[in-house]
Amino acid sequence: MSSSVDDQNSTVYHIERGSQGTLMKISDFNLWYGKSQALFSVNMEIERGLVTALIGPSGCGKSTLLRSINRMNDLIDGLTIKGKMTIDDQDIYSSVVDVIALRKVMGMVFQKPNPFPMSIADNVTYPLKVDGVRDRRILNETVEKALKGAALWEEVKDRLKENALGLSGGQQQRLCIARAIAGDPEVLLMDEPCSALDPVATAKIEDLIDALRGKYSIVIVTHNMQQAARVSDNTAFMYLGKLIEYGETSIIFTNPKVDKTMEYVTGRFG
Amino acid sequence: MEFNEPGKGQQILADTDGNVITQASTSRQRSTVWDFKARGEPFVWSLGAALAIGVLMIVGFVALILYNGILTFYPRPIEVVELRGGDRIAGDLIRSETFLPGTDNVADPDSSAKTIIDNKGLSKRSLLRTGNFDLYNDDFKWVFDDEIVSKHFPKDILFIERLEWGPFIGSAKSMDLNGQIIEGANLSTDGLEKAQDEARSRRLRIYEIERTEIASINHYLEKARLALRKVELRHGLESPEYKAELEKYKAETETLNAQYQELASEAAAIKQMDSRFTVNLEDVNGKPKTLPISQITRLFTPNNLSFTERAWVYLSRWYEFLTQEPREANTEGGVMPAIFGTFCMTVLMALGVAPFGVVAALYLKEYAKQGKLVSLIRICVNNLAGVPSIVYGVFGLGFFAYVLGGSIDQLFYPERLPTPTFGSGGLLWASLTLALLTVPVVIVATEEALAAVPQSMREGSLACGASKWQTIKWIVLPRALPGIMTGLILAMARGAEEVAPLMLVGVVKLAPELPIDSFFPFVHFERSFMHLGFHIFDLGFQSRNSEAAIPMVYVTTLLLITLVFAMNIASIIIRNRLKRKFFTGHF
């Protein structure tokens, strides 16, 4: 509790290293929406197989950073990027990278559950449909595996042909997780996956994240600090587009090294 | 007025330590009287009034059409009126009105004067449909009330609908069935009806010979001539190919002409036979009329009908209207070709406009870079909807018929020239012209529908590794389909009732052939066709007898509205099914 935040480009690091090594490296990453800069020189490493939480007050750039990882920001007009982001030492923003192939190694779960207006089974097999898989046997196996993986199988196994929009909000979000893992990705990106859900559904999702730990590298954006504390291994605290502190979750929440982090996690502002 | 209830006149506040402090209200006194302006009460009323006026106009219009359209075919009683001069007039009452009589309307000034003075100078007159156009050169007559000596409804008076000259009203004196004379007490309405049934089968046989069998011979003759002309155009008059073809042509025409002669003589024989079956009629003034029985389409005694007989006449008239071809300059018979033409044109138009509109909107909304150019295009599309429809008609005639159709004729049908095939108005060009006219509606509706697809769904699909095209194909388009259908419904409703451009690009008063028949290629897009909207215009404004046309105008309008309504209902049902599929659940 000694470093000062006034020092513009200093991030304090004390991250927990996973057993499987580093998956992603983000170095000196800057991002502008038109003229206004949203991310300032972010440097961080994401560990393979661990859960990394991004926290910070609204507008701090955590969602922007998350959506930069699978290039969802490409849809926005007037976006400028400077810096480097690599996954398995491959540059995500290199001109030779196929965005579609890139997104296939990264499943994404959004703030609001967004199942497609089709049957539960078709929702889960959508990533396979995109790849042109037509084999019934493979599709059926995937449906069962992904729904079991998302802890939804028992609830929906008898109505796989029903419209997914008939599910409850929490079930819809778990269906979206099933959809995200059906394509067998390496990374799961979660953008405030529980913000539209009630506490019971939230608890189920959190249990699910815990169960998925190790199988996938998970990056989760959350507003809920208890949630970050409960599910993540590493936590990154962002403020006004800058990465302030990035380290072991237990330290961030109990004994952060930066005053600003302390103020945020204890609820003084945000 | 002072209000001392806590919480209204006073404010309860809590300070930072949680102690409740009470503050006296220092603000202005609050009025407890209703503030109409603030509640927007006058505004709400005027909204309601505007809605009421709109609904009233629509309901009034539909009720007028329904009332007149539904009653037209109901058999009305025939009244026989005896006038002062000794003349009699028989007919069914169309309407009555009061009017200011002139001296020539008053038969007997002395006795009439009192009634007219009693009525403040007004007198009454009634319009009767008297029929018998061939006898009096008139089938409607105004009857002035003070000319009337007596009025009665004879039970045995006959109402006879004929193929020509409109209805006959009077009585039957005798019947000549191939020399067998039936008259007096032996002549009954039932007997007449039976003779009419037999006569109808003869008439239908003649019709079949002339319209089907001889028409098909003509078709093959024309085909042979075109084949010969084709060879002539390709190889020249002196070539051996032409000479060989000429031989073939001669042989073919010879057999066809022989068949034609055979059929023509068969028809002539039946006609000869048919002319021996006649009925001698007499109107209420004793004027005689001899009529071939086969000319009668329907006969009944309107003053002596039971309810079921009345219903039967009513329904059989509707059946005739819906299934027969028009007669007597369209004022009688049916409108089947017009129904068929309207339906074919609307369906073809929908098939034409849907892909163009949807594809254009997809590119504009999803792929084109949103900038000045796209805005300009959008403005142009919207303005296109405001171009007068007759301008589209001129464009359709000039571009589709003359330029496109003319080129098609030059390329594919040179042997038929100078008779145009696609080079004049026809079903295809009319449909395409209307498709052009309605494409802005579909584009605007589709763009709206695409914009209404939630961004979260597109993102969800893209995040699954789908390409933009896959996302549009599997997520965006299905979800936007109900909105697109709405646009299509609007376009169909607009297109089906459009008349002005059609008059230039293929609609005719009387089409000799339907666009679909049994000759290859079965669907003839180049043919001109009949259209209910134009039929209404033609009946109302172009017919010889406007009084006779009025009820037909109502019935045809009713039919057109019903047809458009039915097509809309069908599309709405499809749309709602789609909506149920895409719009349930928690959002």
Side-chain angles (χ1 to χ4, degrees), chain A residues 10 70 77 105 152 194 204 258:
Chain A
S10 67
N70 68 345
D77 284 336
V105 295
L152 191 62
C194 302
K204 281 190 182 168
V258 184

Side-chain angles (χ1 to χ4, degrees), chain B residues 353-408:
Chain B
V353 75
F356 276 112
V358 172
V359 166
L362 261 183
Y363 190 84
L364 271 181
K365 191 84 206 167
E366 301 285 333
Y367 285 104
K369 197 165 155 47
Q370 305 295 319
K372 284 213 174 96
L373 185 65
V374 166
S375 303
L376 192 71
I377 290 173
R378 222 167 253 143
I379 291 168
C380 291
V381 165
N382 286 332
N383 281 343
L384 217 57
V387 173
S389 54
I390 194 78
V391 174
Y392 283 98
V394 175
F395 174 79
L397 184 70
F399 179 70
F400 288 134
Y402 290 164
V403 176
L404 267 185
S407 315
I408 291 174

Side-chain angles (χ1 to χ4, degrees), chain A residues 107-110 112-131 136 139-140 142-144 146-147 150 152 156 159-168 171-184, chain B residues 456-466 474-475 479 581-582 584-585 587:
Chain A
M108 189 162 189
V109 180
F110 295 83
K112 255 165 56 181
N114 59 347
F116 303 134
M118 40 177 93
S119 77
I120 293 170
D122 287 347
N123 259 284
V124 177
T125 56
Y126 189 80
L128 281 78
K129 184 180 177 185
V130 165
D131 283 338
R136 275 271 133 228
L139 292 179
N140 289 340
T142 309
V143 170
E144 186 169 344
L147 285 174
L152 191 62
V156 299
R159 46 182 178 137
L160 293 173
K161 294 285 163 232
E162 279 176 32
N163 196 325
L165 299 181
L167 296 175
S168 74
Q171 287 174 324
Q172 286 189 1
Q173 192 62 302
R174 275 181 283 151
L175 180 64
C176 290
I177 294 175
R179 187 175 70 196
I181 61 179
D184 202 21
Chain B
S456 67
M457 284 214 180
R458 294 163 200 259
E459 286 183 348
S461 171
L462 290 171
C464 285
W474 288 327
I475 305 296
R479 170 80 193 217
K581 190 170 161 200
F582 294 123
T584 48
F587 270 103

Side-chain angles (χ1 to χ4, degrees), chain B residues 207-443:
Chain B
Y207 180 87
E208 197 190 312
I209 290 173
E210 287 180 344
R211 292 294 303 272
T212 311
E213 295 172 14
I214 292 183
S216 111
I217 287 176
N218 283 337
H219 174 82
Y220 290 118
L221 274 172
E222 175 70 4
K223 218 169 145 185
R225 186 188 74 78
L226 289 176
L228 181 68
R229 173 86 179 132
K230 214 170 185 173
V231 174
E232 181 193 327
L233 283 176
R234 186 172 298 166
H235 302 286
L237 274 172
E238 301 304 319
S239 63
E241 287 92 342
Y242 177 73
K243 293 203 167 104
E245 185 66 28
L246 189 63
E247 289 306 311
K248 219 175 105 192
Y249 171 72
K250 276 182 180 159
E252 227 169 277
T253 43
E254 208 165 308
T255 42
L256 285 170
N257 276 326
Q259 283 173 14
Y260 169 75
Q261 289 301 336
E262 207 174 299
L263 284 170
S265 59
E266 191 190 339
I270 300 174
K271 277 184 187 166
Q272 176 70 28
M273 183 70 174
D274 188 56
S275 66
R276 290 196 210 133
F277 292 81
T278 56
V279 59
N280 291 312
L281 303 167
E282 205 178 83
D283 84 333
V284 280
N285 286 322
K287 268 200 182 182
K289 167 80 187 173
T290 303
L291 191 70
I293 295 179
S294 61
Q295 288 277 306
I296 300 174
T297 57
R298 187 178 295 110
L299 71 118
F300 56 93
T301 50
N303 294 341
N304 190 22
L305 285 181
S306 66
F307 177 74
T308 43
E309 283 167 331
R310 241 173 245 282
W312 175 247
V313 170
Y314 180 74
L315 291 176
S316 75
R317 276 171 165 175
W318 264 112
Y319 179 75
E320 183 192 352
F321 183 71
L322 293 176
T323 57
Q324 300 296 302
E325 289 172 15
R327 301 191 313 264
E328 297 282 285
N330 293 353
T331 53
E332 285 189 31
V335 292
M336 193 271 285
I339 298 174
F340 195 74
T342 310
F343 180 76
C344 285
M345 190 210 68
T346 311
V347 169
L348 261 183
M349 179 199 74
L351 289 181
V353 75
F356 276 112
V358 172
V359 166
L362 261 183
Y363 190 84
L364 271 181
K365 191 84 206 167
E366 301 285 333
Y367 285 104
K369 197 165 155 47
Q370 305 295 319
K372 284 213 174 96
L373 185 65
V374 166
S375 303
L376 192 71
I377 290 173
R378 222 167 253 143
I379 291 168
C380 291
V381 165
N382 286 332
N383 281 343
L384 217 57
V387 173
S389 54
I390 194 78
V391 174
Y392 283 98
V394 175
F395 174 79
L397 184 70
F399 179 70
F400 288 134
Y402 290 164
V403 176
L404 267 185
S407 315
I408 291 174
D409 279 3
Q410 294 283 347
L411 286 172
F412 300 107
Y413 303 100
E415 71 276 10
R416 297 198 193 183
L417 288 171
T419 316
T421 311
F422 278 98
S424 68
L427 183 61
L428 180 65
W429 302 143
S431 305
L432 287 185
T433 305
L434 283 190
L436 199 66
L437 180 112
T438 50
V439 87
V441 181
V442 178
I443 290 182

Side-chain angles (χ1 to χ4, degrees), chain A residues 71 89-102:
Chain A
R71 290 180 63 174
D89 296 328
Q90 195 189 7
D91 190 357
I92 290 173
Y93 283 90
S94 150
S95 57
V96 296
V97 162
D98 178 13
V99 185
I100 289 168
L102 177 79

